[in-house]
Structure formats: structure tokens, C-alpha cells
Amino acid sequence: MTRIRELAEQTPATRARHVDLFRAVAITAVVVGHWLIMVVEYDRRGALDGTSALRDLTWAHPVTWLFQVMPLFFMVGGFANALSYQRQRERSRTPAQWLLDRGARLVRPTVVLLVALAAGAAVTRLLGAAPDQIGRAVWLATLPLWFLIAYLGVVALTPVMFRLHERAGLAVPVVLLVPVVAGDLLRFRYGEAWAYGNFAFAWLAIHQLGFAWRDGRFGQRAATGLLAGGLAGLVLLTVAGPYPVSMVTVPGAELQNSSPPSLALVALAAAQLGLVLLLAGPAERWLRRRRPWLAVVAANAVILTVFLWHMTAAVLTTVALHLLDRLPTFDVRSAEWLLWRVPWLAALAIVLAVLVAIVGRVETMRVAPAADRPMWLVAAGYVAMMVGLLWQALAGSASHGPFALPTGALVLFLAGAAVLLVVPRR
């Protein structure tokens, strides 16, 4: 807590504190949203299984507009990355050094998560747990890593995309929307695989909006237009148009808005940007108070750890209740299931708080700036990590050897992470 107070007290007067608030709000909404829609049940063999409540609760699909805030997180990331990269250039540091420093902050907590899961899987297997159940548990715990694949990608491309932003400004995200629209048109006709390029183009476009936000290119009138236009576009594309209303994945649905990202998700991003721009002034004034700002600093100090471990907390809580024979399995359409959400969220929050207290220091540790490295080596490290995470995600929930993760994927990610972490520091 002393470290948090120091950070709060040392905050420069010029810092845009509302950006930190919106980052914390975005991740908190994602965590709570995931926990709310989780359905834990037993399959025909009596083994633990689970799915998303959105499969049955169609009335909740519009509510996902409030909880799908990954676009906001990417825009906050764009704001922060633009600011950080600009300052590093002013200090005559190379793009490779910036990528080493920026990536290390993301990678350290991720390495801890994957190593802990691999070790836990190996131990539980030795204790006699069923390999398929271990694989399912580890797969659920690693679901948040889907986000990290895309985010590592936009961070890796920041030096290039920021130069494009300086030359062309808002024309860059507009141009990036062209392949997004093309991908959506192709997916409507030929299937989802034709829109996989949207994972890159849509998230890059949204990240670029964060650059423009940092530059102050949006005034009050533009903010109102983004909010109104984004919401209008969202309604037209979903309620009146061909896109589903849910902004998060619905099991069994033919079309998804988030995987791969759709034009409807970009419309939601525009609305979210307009809203936060309108709230920026009041939020900034509120955060000049000591206690609110201290809370925001504390949350942001471990925000990635919270995100990465929130599904692990859910898995551990579920297994504990199962072993204690206290795991309720209400029908998802019943009032009992809705009421169970209250103690469920409380239990998960407690378990997550314990996990963060144990591993959160990895995220808050001070690390000196990295020495320079060849750009090809840094780029290779990023690519190795992204391929490793993608390999793991696509491998599915089956058991994959003693660590319940594809061994090759784990080695590839750790090798890429070593490029960023095992480097001389000044």
C-alpha cells in the first residue's frame, strides 16, 4: 500500500487521470460480465461442465452492450501507447527499446499465470485427477489470453501505426474499416473464416482512435456525434440489420460480433468513445480528490493480474464447491439461478482478491529501462508469443500432455517472453 500511495502522490499535474479510471472500469466490467454469464453444470457422466447463459437468456443480449468494453480498453491502450511512445522518442530511445519495455509489462504477469497453471495441472494429474477434466479447467482459466493475442499485436505495430497516424490522422482508422466491411460481407455469404482478418483490422482501427483521443482531436460536438452516431449505427446494424444483438459470444450462434470483430462492434467502440469523452471533464475533476485517485491507482497497479486470473478464480471456486458437495446447478432460466449470482460474485471476488494478493506484486515491480536490441529480435519475440498463445487457444479444452497445455505452445511463448524479459537493464 505504501507503493500505491507513493505513485498517487507522485502523479504529475498533467496526467489525464480519467484515462486510468476508464481502464479500470473497462476491465472490471469484463470480469463481472464473464462471471455473471457463467453456467456451471454436470454432464451425463457427472463430470463438471459449463457454458454461457447467453445461449438461453436471449433477453440479456442487449445488456452485453454495457459489458462488452474491450473496445474501450483498446482505445485506452491506444491513448497510453501513443503518450508513452511519444515520450520515449523525445528521450531518443529506439522503437525496439519501447517495445521491450511495453511488452515486458504485459508479459511478466502472463508468464506467471501460464507457469502456475502448467505446474498446477502437473501436480493434480499426479494426484489422480482425470486428464480431460484438468484440460477443461486449464482451458477455461486461459480464456482471457484470447485478448492478449490481439493486444500484443497492436502494441507490436504501434511504432509503425503511430507514424501513419502522424501523417494521416483519422484517415487511418477509416481506411482500416474497408477490409472490416469486406470481411463482414464475405462472412455473410461464405462463412465466418472469411472475416478472420478483422481480428487485425478492427482492433487496429479501434486502437488508432486512442491515438486521436490522445491528440485531442475530438471536441464536445464530435463526442456527441460519436455517441449518437455509434448508438444509431449499432441499432441499425443489429435490431434492423443482419448482425446479432449480443456483443459477446453466444454458444451455437451462427454469427458472432466479437470473434471475429464485426462492424457492429466498431459502432459500439464509437459510442463508447463518445461517452467517455463527454464524461472526461467531470471524471477528471472527481479524480483530483485524494481517495478516488488512490483507489484508481491501486486498481491499475494490478489491473492486468485481475484480468488474467479472473477465470482461474472461477475454476478454483467451482472445484472447491464441487468437492464440498455445495455446488448448486439451478436452471439458468429460473429465479434461483439469478439469485445465486449474488453469492457467486461475492465468492469469486474473495478468491480473486487472494490470488491478486499472492501474484500481483509481479505486475507492480519496478524494472529499469531496457538496453537496445535489434528490432528483428524484438519482433521475433512478439511473434513467438502471439503464435504460442494462438496455438494454445486453438488447441481446445482437451488435455495436452502433463501440463494440460500444448507443450510446444508453452515453450514458444516462454521463448518469446525471454526476449523481452532476459535483457540487460539500465
Side-chain angles (χ1 to χ4, degrees), residues 227-290:
L227 176 58
L231 288 176
L234 200 52
V235 171
L236 289 173
L237 290 169
T238 58
V239 178
Y243 294 88
V245 172
S246 176
M247 288 294 117
V248 301
T249 300
V250 178
E254 186 176 346
L255 184 66
Q256 310 284 356
N257 277 316
S258 61
S259 183
S262 70
L263 186 61
L265 191 71
V266 176
L268 176 64
Q272 289 177 351
L273 179 57
L275 179 60
V276 299
L277 287 169
L278 292 173
L279 293 175
E284 196 69 30
R285 290 189 292 272
W286 180 58
L287 292 172
R288 295 294 165 180
R289 301 177 182 179
R290 182 177 177 276

Side-chain angles (χ1 to χ4, degrees), residues 143-163:
L143 282 179
L145 297 180
W146 266 108
F147 139 82
L148 197 60
I149 301 170
Y151 194 68
L152 279 172
V154 298
V155 170
L157 291 172
T158 291
V160 174
M161 300 307 296
F162 190 74
R163 288 196 206 99

Side-chain angles (χ1 to χ4, degrees), residues 112-250:
V112 172
L113 173 69
L114 287 175
V115 171
L117 290 176
V123 170
T124 52
R125 187 163 183 165
L126 289 174
L127 293 176
D132 60 332
Q133 287 291 291
I134 298 173
R136 178 73 171 170
V138 171
W139 178 75
L140 287 171
T142 57
L143 282 179
L145 297 180
W146 266 108
F147 139 82
L148 197 60
I149 301 170
Y151 194 68
L152 279 172
V154 298
V155 170
L157 291 172
T158 291
V160 174
M161 300 307 296
F162 190 74
R163 288 196 206 99
L164 289 175
H165 168 73
E166 289 179 315
R167 294 177 182 177
L170 288 171
V172 178
V174 171
V175 170
L176 287 169
L177 285 182
V178 174
V180 173
V181 173
D184 279 2
L185 292 174
L186 289 170
R187 90 159 104 184
F188 286 138
R189 182 157 187 172
Y190 300 110
E192 185 180 271
W194 288 87
Y196 283 169
N198 288 9
F199 280 114
F201 297 121
W203 288 125
L204 275 173
I206 293 170
H207 191 251
Q208 291 291 124
L209 291 176
F211 292 174
W213 178 10
R214 166 68 184 91
D215 286 352
R217 294 179 183 242
F218 303 110
Q220 289 294 101
R221 183 176 297 179
T224 303
L226 283 167
L227 176 58
L231 288 176
L234 200 52
V235 171
L236 289 173
L237 290 169
T238 58
V239 178
Y243 294 88
V245 172
S246 176
M247 288 294 117
V248 301
T249 300
V250 178

Side-chain angles (χ1 to χ4, degrees), residues 351-370:
V351 174
L352 180 58
V354 172
L355 291 173
V356 171
I358 296 171
V359 300
R361 293 182 180 180
V362 174
E363 188 175 354
T364 59
M365 63 187 295
R366 296 178 180 178
V367 179

